[in-house]
């Protein structure tokens, strides 16, 4: 039905090597305050941080304090790590040799080091992303071993590979980027869909007391994949019908 939706990874990643390209790309992450996922080699734990400074002239950067704080201990040991962030569907990743310097100013801890020599820039989103009407938002529950109890929210949009969610209040302290949550249930019009998801984006909007999350479907079964494709197809068809009505 929607085989094209499964070609999300079709665009080939670019490897940026010039300081101008690298600094410009890293600034996208910094200025948008996009969360970073940090993984140390040969360790399973994942950590969250943010880019707080990018200096092209000095070829340097600074990372915010890691969460959980265990990551600082690995940094002090000089362990190499990988950094991965996402900006508007683009995956931005690089390797670090672990030689960062700890700094503390006004109670804020950060880590300074050199800009990477190479940055992978990968436009991943080829999949059609269907938005739901505010009057027809689908109820969802997010649960798993890492959560004491399921968190209920709403589905805002969906593609063949993931979806965007909305939750009332600030739930950001209960969730961790990069974590796989085994029980994600969405009450689709033709029946519940259940699968595991990986948390890719997380942002609390204080003005409206709402948390937004982006998740990627994890190890979907063929049945669930067909459910998702059917729902995306329905939304796509409805959107086309509305466009045609507007043209009348």
């Amino acid at each position: 039905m929607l085989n094209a939706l499964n070609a999300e990874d079709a665009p080939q990643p670019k490897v940026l090597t010039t300081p101008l390209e690298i600094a410009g790309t890293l600034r996208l992450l910094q200025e948008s305050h996009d969360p970073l996922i940090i993984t140390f080699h040969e360790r399973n734990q994942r950590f969250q941080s943010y880019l707080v400074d990018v200096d092209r002239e000095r070829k340097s950067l600074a990372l915010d304090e890691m969460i959980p704080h265990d990551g600082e201990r690995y940094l002090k040991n000089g362990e190499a790590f990988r950094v991965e962030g996402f900006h508007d569907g683009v995956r931005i990743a690089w390797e670090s040799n672990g030689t960062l310097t700890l700094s503390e100013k006004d109670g804020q801890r950060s880590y300074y080091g050199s800009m990477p020599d190479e940055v992978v820039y990968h436009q991943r989103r080829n999949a059609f992303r269907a938005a739901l009407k505010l009057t027809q938002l689908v109820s969802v529950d997010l649960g798993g071993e890492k959560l004491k109890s399921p968190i209920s929210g709403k589905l805002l949009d969906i593609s063949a590979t993931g979806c965007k969610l909305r939750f009332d209040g600030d739930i950001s302290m209960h969730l961790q980027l990069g974590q796989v949550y085994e029980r994600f249930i969405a009450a689709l019009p033709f029946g519940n869909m259940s699968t595991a998801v990986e948390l890719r984006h997380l942002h609390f909007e204080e003005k409206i007391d709402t948390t937004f999350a982006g998740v990627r479907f994890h190890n979907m079964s063929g049945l669930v994949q067909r459910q998702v494709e059917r729902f995306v197809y329905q939304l796509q068809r409805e959107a086309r019908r509305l466009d045609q009505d507007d043209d009348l």
Side-chain angles (χ1 to χ4, degrees), residues 92-139:
I92 300 169
W94 67 95
E95 301 279 347
S96 174
N97 59 13
T99 54
L100 297 183
T101 302
L102 173 64
S103 176
E104 187 165 348
K105 183 179 180 181
D106 299 328
Q108 297 293 319
R109 300 167 76 84
S110 52
Y111 318 108
Y112 287 84
S114 301
M115 279 198 320
D117 295 326
E118 293 184 346
V119 167
V120 175
Y121 183 96
H122 192 182
Q123 176 72 45
R124 297 169 65 89
R125 186 180 294 167
N126 264 2
F128 174 82
R129 184 166 290 269
L132 283 74
K133 298 179 186 176
L134 290 177
T135 55
Q136 298 177 343
L137 297 185
V138 166
S139 296

Side-chain angles (χ1 to χ4, degrees), residues 17-88:
T17 57
T18 70
L20 180 63
E21 288 179 313
I22 291 172
T25 300
L26 296 185
R27 282 203 189 97
L28 291 176
L29 296 172
Q30 177 194 354
E31 293 170 359
S32 300
H33 203 57
D34 293 317
L36 304 177
I37 299 172
I38 295 177
T39 51
F40 288 87
H41 297 178
E42 299 181 5
R43 294 188 184 275
N44 294 325
Q45 193 173 8
R46 299 184 180 210
F47 302 89
Q48 178 179 325
S49 184
Y50 295 88
L51 267 171
V52 294
D53 185 57
V54 177
D55 190 324
R56 180 167 66 90
E57 300 300 325
R58 298 181 180 178
K59 296 183 181 179
S60 65
L61 58 74
L63 296 175
D64 197 8
E65 186 173 12
M66 289 191 194
I67 300 173
H69 302 302
D70 301 355
E72 188 172 302
R73 185 170 74 250
Y74 305 144
L75 270 185
K76 290 179 178 178
N77 292 340
E79 297 186 27
F81 59 89
R82 182 175 185 80
V83 185
E84 183 180 51
F86 291 85
H87 180 79
D88 289 343

Side-chain angles (χ1 to χ4, degrees), residues 151-153 166-171 204 209-211:
I151 303 174
S152 297
R166 185 190 77 191
F167 300 94
D168 292 336
D170 186 1
I171 63 164
F204 172 61
D209 193 31
T210 301
T211 301

